[in-house]
Amino acid sequence: MTRPAPRTRRTRRVAGAGTTALLLLGAVTACSPSPDAPSSGSSSGKPSGTVTVFAAASLTESFTTLGEKFEKDHPGTEVTFNFGGSDSLAAGITSGAPADVFASASPRTMKTVTDAGDVSGAPATFVRNRLEIATLPGNPEGVSSLKDLTGSKLKVVLCDKEVPCGTAAQKALDASGLELTPVSYEQDVKSALTKVELKEADAALVYRTDVLAAGDKVEGVDFPEAAQAVNDYPIALLKEAPNAGAAEAFIALVRSEEGQKVLADAGFLTS
């Protein structure tokens, strides 16, 4: 996939787990403020400066909307995002990448960061998410159940087993007593969905939120075993946050009634 230069967009996809830490550590010096740069935060207590948020790929659309709202509500702020697989993001944070907020797609990947001592305070669960089967528009293969994905004629992709959507997929398969050999494992949920959008796969196990975000590019199929693999999403302020005050304000927006509505509209479970 073609990745745009980081400064041409406010969001960007993150490289695989093996290279994320190196890429982000290389940015530490470039992203650190110079002695003459204005400091983040404000003596008046109002949010200001840049807030850097590392967030699971499945939060791309909803968090981009919330970032734009935050900037509108707090003139002089800018929210920048690194979206990607939660495990890759956690690896970057524990390796020293500068960030203010981490929003993970599972408690397990958040635990990686908390165990490393990189979180300030206790993470809070702010939404949950469940899986759907994404098929080609019109569902030409007639997929109606998880069992249908095990047919040898279907090309199915899954998220990598190390990322939350991959772990959830395996839980669902275990709950159904099924085994599935995909044609590929993808680094995050967006990459898995893209395989279907590009007609390189017949189906993928992804989050319901990503199916909704894709619009008419795919068709979603519910399956009962998804209830056995619902993911909690925790969010936390990072201990070495360069802009802790503004970061706390962004987290407050995410957890507010207005923020929860944006997330619910995107298909997340908020209660």
Side-chain angles (χ1 to χ4, degrees):
M1 296 176 59
T2 302
R3 292 177 170 82
R7 294 187 180 276
T8 61
R9 293 180 60 191
R10 293 174 57 254
T11 64
R12 67 182 177 87
R13 300 298 294 280
V14 178
T19 59
T20 299
L22 290 176
L23 287 172
L24 296 176
L25 279 173
V28 171
T29 301
C31 294
S32 299
S34 67
D36 298 326
S39 60
S40 298
S42 169
S43 58
S44 67
K46 295 180 180 180
S48 63
T50 298
V51 183
T52 302
V53 180
F54 280 27
S58 49
L59 292 164
T60 299
E61 292 79 16
S62 54
F63 264 34
T64 297
T65 297
L66 289 173
E68 291 169 352
K69 174 173 175 47
F70 187 84
E71 292 174 350
K72 182 179 179 180
D73 290 348
H74 304 289
T77 61
E78 180 181 6
V79 185
T80 63
F81 295 100
N82 283 328
F83 293 114
S86 294
D87 63 322
S88 296
L89 298 176
I93 291 167
T94 58
S95 296
D100 297 291
V101 176
F102 180 37
S104 170
S106 77
R108 178 183 61 81
T109 47
M110 179 61 77
K111 187 174 186 297
T112 298
V113 179
T114 56
D115 286 352
D118 292 323
V119 167
S120 176
T125 298
F126 65 102
V127 287
R128 293 175 296 140
N129 210 351
R130 63 185 293 166
L131 298 174
E132 270 193 0
I133 301 168
T135 70
L136 295 171
N139 192 6
E141 299 296 335
V143 174
S144 61
S145 68
L146 201 56
K147 185 176 181 181
D148 290 341
L149 299 184
T150 63
S152 59
K153 69 174 184 175
L154 288 182
K155 293 184 291 184
V156 180
V157 295
L158 300 176
C159 296
D160 188 89
K161 294 178 180 179
E162 297 301 314
V163 300
C165 65
T167 301
Q170 191 57 56
K171 285 182 180 178
L173 288 166
D174 290 345
S176 66
L178 298 172
E179 292 186 6
L180 173 62
T181 302
V183 293
S184 69
Y185 288 102
E186 300 300 318
Q187 66 181 2
D188 59 47
V189 69
K190 294 296 186 186
S191 299
L193 188 65
T194 296
K195 290 285 187 177
V196 179
E197 292 176 343
L198 296 178
K199 299 182 180 181
E200 295 176 2
D202 299 306
L205 274 177
V206 298
Y207 294 123
R208 179 173 182 265
T209 53
D210 295 287
V211 172
L212 290 175
D216 59 6
K217 295 179 182 178
V218 299
E219 184 166 320
V221 177
D222 288 317
F223 60 99
E225 295 87 355
Q228 307 299 315
V230 177
N231 276 14
D232 290 340
Y233 280 51
I235 191 169
L237 172 70
L238 295 175
K239 189 173 183 180
E240 300 298 327
N243 193 355
E248 289 176 338
F250 179 79
I251 293 172
L253 171 62
V254 170
R255 300 183 66 190
S256 71
E257 182 177 348
E258 188 169 9
Q260 292 290 289
K261 183 180 186 307
V262 169
L263 290 157
D265 288 346
F268 288 97
L269 303 170
T270 57
S271 61

